[in-house]
Amino acid sequence: MSAPLTALHRCCQRSALLLVARRPWSSSSASPPPLHTRLLLYLAQRYYDVEMLMKWSSNLKKRGLQKKNAYYGYTQKFYGGDIAAAYFILSLKGRIRFLGQPAWLHADQSGKFNWDFLNHKDTPLEEVDLSYTVINYTGLGNLERQGSLRTLSLRGCPEVDDWFLGRLHIFQDSLEELDISHCPRITTGGLAALRNLKGLRRLDMSSLPGISSPGLVAILLEEMLPQCQITAIGYDHSLKQEEEEEKEGQVEAQR
Amino acid sequence: MSAWRRLHVLVRPALTCSRLTQQRTWLCCSLSTGAPLRNDFFKDLEAQLAAVRKKAADALPGSGWSPLEINPNLPPERADIVIVGGGVVGWSIAYWLKQRERIREGVKVIVVEKDPTYSQASTVLSAGGIRQQFSLPENIHLSLASADFMRNINEHLSVMNEDPVDLQFNQSGYLFLASEEVAHIMEENYSTQRQAGAKVSLLSPTQLKEKFPWINTDGVVLASYGLENEGWFDPWTLLNAFKRKAMSMGVIQCCGEVTGFKHTTIMVRTGDDEQVGIRRIQSVRVQMPNSLEYQPVECAIVVNAAGAHSGKLAEMLGMGFGAKDTFAGVPLPVEPRKRYVYVVHCPDGPGLDTPFLIDYSGVYFRREGLGGNYIAGMSPEEGEEPDISNLEVDHQFFEEKIWPSLAHRVPAFEKLKVSSAWAGFYDYNTFDQNGIIGIHPLINNMYFATGFSGHGLQHSPAVGRAVAELILDGNFKTLDLSNFGFKRILTQEPMLERNIV
């Protein structure tokens, strides 16, 4: 009677030990930052020069992002909103397709593109692919008047956040397909903003690391957008912790 | 086994007795000769004599040492700006003051907060909403500026080597419902809001039903719905982000209560040959919590951001005690009002698209999390204000006033269950329910940022910037809030929100 109990007890103790031992290598926020970060922080706290340099570097990064997402006011004035939007997307290395045109336009590896799109004056955009670009909230202002945009892909955009999704209401009458998969900064609070896109037919929300309970969120989204087909893959829906404990129990039993 | 362990214990002190500690002395005595002990005694004596000599030198005049123990939590004796009230408005002002100072450590700012646990603070007990649907352009601009701040919060409030701020902002929008009597006001407000740049749309009852099938549209003639920059967030995160950033920039936090001011009065004659006393604060008396100890803090400027208690603070300076019909006889019209917030559970209630709904009956509700929880509340009528001496919740109020309207508007709420409730204070401006920002003409160095009547949290980023501009630059630079000044109270010209509720 007591033998299995003691075995169980030992097993529990071991797993607790394992948990404690594993902690230093886990990537939780409680773990200390790597050595070079700590060194940099120490230097920044000690020397004004280092602090200043770090501030400059972050400001430079910020300014670069701002420049890429600037408002294309001049282009809009001289060529109209559609050309400005196309030019903006092509300079971000995105892909576009004008309404009624079969061909996609895109920039090549070095960021150069064909200027033939200038011929499509006053033709609105129908499909836009901005995957893996640095578009942010401000940059979206360039697409404000694209009332006939049907497809938008924002796959893997590091700067797309909840406020960006909140501003997507500018396409509320036309947008049918939206891909926001692999965007690291999207959370549940932003997905609630998709309520304005009543015409949405297809939504891809795979692999969003900022969502805590993806299964529930996907169901609630389906409820909110009944005509929309929602893709949510890349999530581990299993109960992770219990599984791990089971595994440990099995290993223990094998010993 | 146990014998071996005992032996080990006996042997070890003998081995280490050259670097002996006091606890082990008796063991060592029994084992070793007296010589090392005597050596050690003299060594100790030498060290003690050195300590005595050092203490004597410290006690000489001119050194910093004093025989009285000093509380390390006391605020410094002097500061440039003392902010009374460590709520979100107070910390926002502190952050913006530091942000806009021209040179490093240019202004020395202290924030005095009486309750560091924030157990009764309006900031953390609010529902946490932000909206642009106001009728005064100033309020709309304040909201737009605050939403802009929250969008870029990590550019403003991130601290190096700390986690980025996550406000948990829910982009869910506000939905106002209007009945026939107030529909025209809603239309006017809508055009004001569109002019100011807010993204708001008007919905007819049919459109409303189409968009939100769970609403009962009986009695609704018009609805206005925010498309962008509206929703709710976590107030505690915003407060802590402001606090963390401000402290990293050198703001001093002080836990204590302001119990009095030392001020001077200068008598001047007005053009009409009247005697008027102008006050100037010399120092703020900060009482430490749970003790009689206090510290007067000499300062140049005091900011009154004490929220619900700011009226009391103004009374300490004699505001409102002067002769009637003079400026000195007008009190600060801010008083605490108690508001209840109820958490209800309703599994069949509206889903992810639930907006912050405000009905024309005065009832509001919003979603809380994803598990079918909602929070709801309502402002009581003017004559039925609850007692403000404690923060007890009146559950009768929910049963009688809130639930009927809620269930009428959303039939699913017939089957709700109240799971918890709390009460918090509003810094209610009895004069016109709008913020008071600026300086009093008779108190020459106290700036007010109070009386926001429930909008304080959502306007705090923009208000903080405005007050910092007022203090450091002398006037408003980005947003002109001069209409929110004291003048309107002294001249009895209220700036009322034209609400539909």
Side-chain angles (χ1 to χ4, degrees), chain B residues 291-317:
Chain B
S291 89
L292 291 172
E293 205 175 4
Y294 70 89
Q295 166 84 52
V297 182
E298 277 179 46
C299 60
I301 287 168
V302 177
V303 180
N304 185 349
H309 306 290
S310 51
K312 223 170 70 187
L313 206 67
E315 272 175 21
M316 286 177 202
L317 280 167

Side-chain angles (χ1 to χ4, degrees), chain B residues 82-86 110-114 252 254-258 284 286:
Chain B
V82 174
I83 298 171
V84 186
I110 301 181
V111 176
V112 183
E113 167 61 39
K114 68 173 174 180
I252 301 163
C254 165
C255 168
E257 192 176 352
V258 173
V284 182
V286 181

Side-chain angles (χ1 to χ4, degrees), chain B residues 473-493:
Chain B
D473 302 320
N475 54 350
F476 298 112
K477 293 271 173 190
T478 42
L479 272 181
D480 184 15
L481 299 177
S482 40
N483 286 344
F484 279 157
F486 235 98
K487 197 178 154 202
R488 72 180 202 272
I489 297 165
L490 300 175
T491 54
Q492 293 293 311
E493 287 165 359

Side-chain angles (χ1 to χ4, degrees), chain A residues 37 41 44 48 51 54 62 137 162-163 166-167 169 188-189 192-193 195-196 198 216-217 220-221 224, chain B residues 104 147 150-151 155 160-161 163 166 169-173 199 211 225-229 351-353 367 370:
Chain A
T37 325
L41 180 76
Y48 286 149
E51 192 187 343
M54 286 177 78
K62 222 179 280 169
Y137 180 89
D162 295 348
W163 298 88
R167 206 177 182 183
H169 70 85
T188 316
R195 70 196 187 279
N196 290 320
K198 283 291 174 192
L216 177 61
V217 172
L220 287 173
L221 271 175
M224 184 171 89
Chain B
R104 191 188 281 264
M150 286 177 202
R151 187 185 313 126
E155 276 170 36
M160 198 165 55
N161 205 37
D163 292 335
D166 176 18
F169 199 101
N170 265 281
Q171 307 271 350
S172 294
K199 303 282 186 287
K211 228 174 165 76
Y225 183 45
L227 296 170
E228 200 184 320
N229 294 338
L352 195 63
D353 56 344
R367 178 167 60 75
L370 302 171

Side-chain angles (χ1 to χ4, degrees), chain A residues 137 139-149 152 164-175 196-197, chain B residues 199 227-228:
Chain A
Y137 180 89
L140 189 59
N142 285 314
L143 306 181
E144 194 137 38
R145 291 192 207 131
Q146 297 304 318
S148 49
L149 187 72
L152 179 62
F164 189 99
L165 294 189
R167 206 177 182 183
L168 284 181
H169 70 85
I170 51 180
F171 310 125
Q172 58 180 335
D173 302 321
S174 64
L175 199 65
N196 290 320
L197 304 173
Chain B
K199 303 282 186 287
L227 296 170
E228 200 184 320

